Every structure is written in C-alpha cells, then in structure tokens.
Amino acid sequence: MYIIPAIDILNKKVVRLREGDYQQVTEYDVTLEEMIERYQSNGTNFIHIIDLNGAKGDFSNQQYLFDVIRKTDMQVQYGGGIRSIDQVKGLIDSGVHRVIVGTQAITNPTFLEELSKEICGKDKCSDQVVVAIDVLDEVIKYSGWMESSPIKLMDYVDKCLQLGFFRFLCTDINKDGKLGGAGVELYSKLLDHSPFIKLIASGGVSSMKDIEELNKIKVEACVVGKAIYENHISIEEIKNWNLESLMSI
C-alpha cells in the first residue's frame, strides 16, 4: 500500500472540508504551487488534486488547475468536475496520470459504458481511470456530496467491474476531515464483496497507525490531506513509507 498526499482546491485556495460540507471549510496559508513544490522537494512524486468548485458544477478553477498541472512532472491523480469523455481523454493525453470520474458516472446511465469503449479498449481502464465512490452510511453521494443516489453501493461496484473499471477511490464521508480514523469497516466490506478491486481509501486518516490499519486490510493506496496540513503525519514519513512499500513489491 502506498500513500497519496491530497490537495483540495476551492476558489483557488488550498482547503479541507469537514464531512464534505462546503460550509465547514478550513483554509491553509499555502498555494497549490507551494504544496506541489513541498512534496516534490521532499521526494514525493504522486499527488491527488481535487477541484472542489468543479465537483459542484462551478468550473472557474479549471484553467488555473490545468496550467499548474502542466508545469509539474509529478504524477497527478485529478478529479472534480469531469463531465465528459473528451475531458477524460484530454486529461490523459495531456499527461495527467489518473483521472477520477464521479458525478457523471452516476447521473448519466451511459457514461461509463461509453467511456469503457473509448478507454478500456486501449488497455488504460484500470490504470488511468478511477471511479469515485463517496459514501455516507452506505449511500452514494455525488455533486460535491450534495445529492444522494438510489443505486446500492455494491450494485454500483458490480456495474463498474462489468464495464472494465477496477480502480475505485472510496471516501467515507462520515470520517472525512475529522482526523478521527479511517473508514476501515466500509473498506473491508467493499474488499469482502470484491477482493480483486484496486481500492484507494480516503477520509479520516490521522496518524501512521491509521495507515497501518489500512495496510492490514490490503487497500491499494490511501489519500492523506488534513493530517499533513495539521502536522499529524510528516511528508518525510510518507516518503519513507512509500519507499518501503516500493521495495517490498
């Protein structure tokens, strides 16, 4: 298991939300460019960037984010406001390492099927497309976590698998932004249901002990944000963990 540092952007500022609530925002006195430089100078080469404006349909951040991403040679996992197949393909072609699809995959019944035909035929599905599943009490949320889907969690996972998508970013909204521990119970249920998925855990990580707990249940990776900004986990610890994980493969 490896750790992916997270950078959430709202109105061009680095922030964290509590439980996905746009009314509970913590802003940090650092720019996106400064955070990327901080990670890169400390030997971290993989980052997770989310456009929180885009997640709720406001695309005013996108050009700024794309300009910043193009200037870095770090591997970027990017999400928030991906609404079309052309966007997915364009981001991949421009060098984004992984593109996260969320709301559109849930609200448009044919989106994943069409994306599968366009991407998976080129053997890129599991590596470059990540399906976001944002969960509150086993209910899938979308549009910046403001709307609820009637689709059952495990049924949605099964649908994605049938179309060739194997990598999932699962956020336990109950845990997100609280530094109260990761949603191990939720992730364990997903892995029990589908043991061979590549699961990226997100939400609640507060310490290296949480990292160790996630490692035990064999998630592929975990995203860490607030714990870094508030000095619960250091970038040095992340680098060392990732180096050890790489060496153990």
Side-chain angles (χ1 to χ4, degrees):
M1 189 196 81
Y2 54 95
I3 304 169
I4 311 174
I7 310 174
D8 289 354
I9 301 296
L10 182 66
N11 303 326
K12 298 183 180 179
K13 297 181 183 296
V14 176
V15 305
R16 287 297 293 168
L17 305 184
R18 181 182 173 90
E19 297 181 70
D21 185 351
Y22 284 76
Q23 303 303 313
Q24 297 187 67
V25 182
T26 301
E27 292 186 4
Y28 296 95
D29 188 22
V30 62
T31 66
L32 172 60
E33 294 90 335
E34 288 169 342
M35 284 304 302
I36 290 174
E37 174 58 30
R38 188 180 301 176
Y39 290 132
Q40 193 162 25
S41 63
N42 280 275
T44 303
N45 66 355
F46 198 169
I47 52 173
H48 170 93
I49 297 176
I50 296 296
D51 176 6
L52 290 173
N53 290 86
K56 59 177 183 175
D58 167 11
F59 306 115
S60 57
N61 274 343
Q62 281 195 342
Q63 192 57 54
Y64 160 69
L65 292 173
F66 293 169
D67 289 344
V68 172
I69 289 169
R70 286 190 192 100
K71 293 175 185 176
T72 180
D73 56 3
M74 295 184 74
Q75 293 182 326
V76 175
Q77 178 170 283
Y78 178 86
I82 308 301
R83 296 291 190 263
S84 73
I85 290 170
D86 284 343
Q87 272 185 299
V88 176
K89 293 167 65 178
L91 285 164
I92 291 172
D93 290 342
S94 68
V96 171
H97 186 64
R98 291 183 191 153
V99 179
I100 302 165
V101 295
T103 294
Q104 190 71 359
I106 295 168
T107 59
N108 181 342
T110 64
F111 180 79
L112 284 179
E113 184 176 353
E114 293 169 2
L115 183 60
S116 177
K117 292 175 182 176
E118 290 285 339
I119 301 294
C120 296
K122 300 175 183 178
D123 297 324
K124 293 181 178 178
C125 226
S126 62
D127 286 334
Q128 293 185 275
V129 175
V130 182
V131 178
I133 309 178
D134 301 329
V135 181
L136 180 64
D137 300 326
E138 299 200 22
V139 174
I140 298 174
K141 307 288 283 187
Y142 62 94
S143 291
W145 302 350
M146 294 183 291
E147 304 290 339
S148 300
S149 170
I151 304 170
K152 292 183 178 180
L153 176 59
M154 300 309 175
D155 290 346
Y156 186 59
V157 171
D158 290 343
K159 173 187 175 181
C160 294
L161 290 172
Q162 289 166 6
L163 292 171
F165 298 98
F166 293 90
R167 180 173 277 117
F168 298 87
L169 170 71
C170 184
T171 300
D172 187 339
I173 298 172
N174 276 322
K175 302 287 186 179
D176 192 70
K178 292 182 176 181
L179 296 175
V184 174
E185 182 178 352
L186 172 62
Y187 307 136
S188 295
K189 286 182 180 179
L190 283 167
L191 289 168
D192 286 344
H193 179 75
S194 302
F196 301 111
I197 63 173
K198 296 180 179 180
L199 182 62
I200 304 170
S202 174
V205 172
S206 63
S207 67
M208 293 306 294
K209 182 178 179 182
D210 292 330
I211 300 292
E212 291 165 2
E213 290 297 314
L214 290 169
N215 188 47
K216 287 177 184 176
I217 64 170
K218 300 187 184 304
V219 300
E220 181 193 34
C222 70
V223 170
V224 180
K226 190 171 184 177
I228 298 170
Y229 301 125
E230 303 199 1
N231 300 313
H232 292 255
I233 296 175
S234 70
I235 297 174
E236 184 73 14
E237 286 176 308
I238 292 172
K239 180 181 72 173
N240 290 340
W241 178 281
N242 286 345
L243 284 173
E244 289 179 14
S245 295
L246 184 64
M247 292 172 65
S248 67
I249 295 175

